[in-house]
Amino acid sequence: MARKRIGILTGGGDVAGLNAVIKSVTYRGSEDDIEVVGLRRGWEALTHLNLDDPNSRSHYVIPLNRENTRTIDRRGGTVLHSSRVNPSKIQKLPGHLVGNEVPVSLSTNGGIATKTWDLTSRVLANLSGLGIEHLIAIGGDDTLSYAAKLNELGVKIIAIPKTMDNDVRNTEYCIGFSTAITRASDAIQRQRTTVGSHERIGIFRVFGRDAGFTALLHRVCDLDTMPHTGA
């Protein structure tokens, strides 16, 4: 019986903890006799991969095992690399697909029309060609929204939320959020003496895009560390 094969990719911005997740998946896979395939550069691996080209395979696909993931959790970023590619909104076709019939859509933003291609059919073909039965997608809103689309098409998806903004619904803490809080808190704490020395008020802006969880939790943590007075 052939071994079960799963794929794993990281998309969007990098955060602390990605390599730890990749290592954990690989180690658990080895314990359960499951082959783990790393898909490099996010969704681009499945849109730009040319299965007939060995160079393309080595560029986008890497077998993961205990040996090549043993120490990856000691550094930040992601060893699989990342990209901000949405397969349903590709702005430039890969060279080997130029001239093929690919679904096209036009979108208008600020009066400017943009043509994009939907390479979902290529994603499905490449998953099948690689023999990947389950796909683990690690990412934020954009990465996981496309993973949800694949799920609706019958692909077996495991979604792992990763975003410093903590704005992926149905989860309490996303990978990267805790580090974002501690780093922001540390940076702000270091400014207290400077602001106080000049008798000024410091205003700090932290990321969060459409969500304010980073600022909110930092404020809660800040209040918890302040000395309490009164009865």
Side-chain angles (χ1 to χ4, degrees):
M1 178 181 292
R3 295 174 65 193
K4 179 180 291 185
R5 179 179 295 175
I6 64 175
I8 182 170
L9 61 82
T10 53
D14 66 292
V15 301
L18 288 176
N19 286 332
V21 175
I22 296 169
K23 177 180 177 179
S24 297
V25 170
T26 303
Y27 270 50
R28 182 57 183 269
S30 70
E31 294 169 0
D32 294 338
D33 196 31
I34 296 174
E35 186 177 357
V36 181
V37 176
L39 301 172
R40 304 174 71 188
R41 300 170 182 85
W43 289 119
E44 182 181 317
L46 294 171
T47 57
H48 288 55
L49 172 64
N50 182 357
L51 290 171
D52 298 324
D53 182 357
N55 290 329
S56 181
R57 278 181 173 265
S58 63
H59 186 69
Y60 287 117
V61 181
I62 177 174
L64 298 177
N65 51 56
R66 297 177 76 98
E67 287 71 32
N68 62 13
T69 61
R70 184 175 65 84
T71 61
I72 63 174
D73 56 337
R74 301 177 188 177
R75 55 185 185 271
T78 165
V79 295
L80 293 179
H81 306 294
S82 185
S83 67
R84 295 188 181 277
V85 171
N86 186 318
S88 62
K89 302 175 183 177
I90 297 295
Q91 296 183 354
K92 183 179 180 181
L93 283 177
H96 68 285
L97 294 182
V98 173
N100 293 6
E101 290 189 10
V102 181
V104 180
S105 63
L106 289 175
S107 60
T108 303
N109 186 9
I112 300 176
T114 303
K115 180 168 66 173
T116 59
W117 288 266
D118 186 348
L119 297 186
T120 297
S121 61
R122 296 302 308 171
V123 171
L124 296 174
N126 283 330
L127 284 172
S128 177
L130 292 170
I132 293 176
E133 302 177 45
H134 294 74
L135 179 63
I136 299 176
I138 311 173
D141 182 60
D142 194 44
T143 301
L144 299 188
S145 65
Y146 186 75
K149 178 178 180 178
L150 288 183
N151 179 71
E152 294 174 355
L153 294 174
V155 180
K156 297 175 181 177
I157 296 287
I158 298 175
I160 299 180
K162 171 247 25 151
T163 169
M164 293 180 288
D165 307 329
N166 204 43
D167 60 352
V168 176
R169 61 183 179 181
N170 299 325
T171 185
E172 185 173 356
Y173 280 98
C174 298
I175 296 170
F177 181 56
S178 177
T179 301
I181 295 298
T182 56
R183 295 294 188 275
S185 179
D186 183 61
I188 294 173
Q189 291 294 337
R190 290 175 185 274
Q191 296 301 314
R192 285 184 179 274
T193 53
T194 298
V195 173
S197 296
H198 294 274
E199 298 182 285
R200 295 180 180 179
I201 295 175
I203 299 177
F204 301 89
R205 184 176 71 173
V206 294
F207 39 76
R209 197 172 57 173
D210 299 324
F213 301 118
T214 310
L216 175 63
L217 190 58
H218 173 266
R219 179 56 180 162
V220 171
C221 294
D222 192 37
L223 289 174
D224 286 342
T225 59
M226 292 178 63
H228 295 280
T229 59

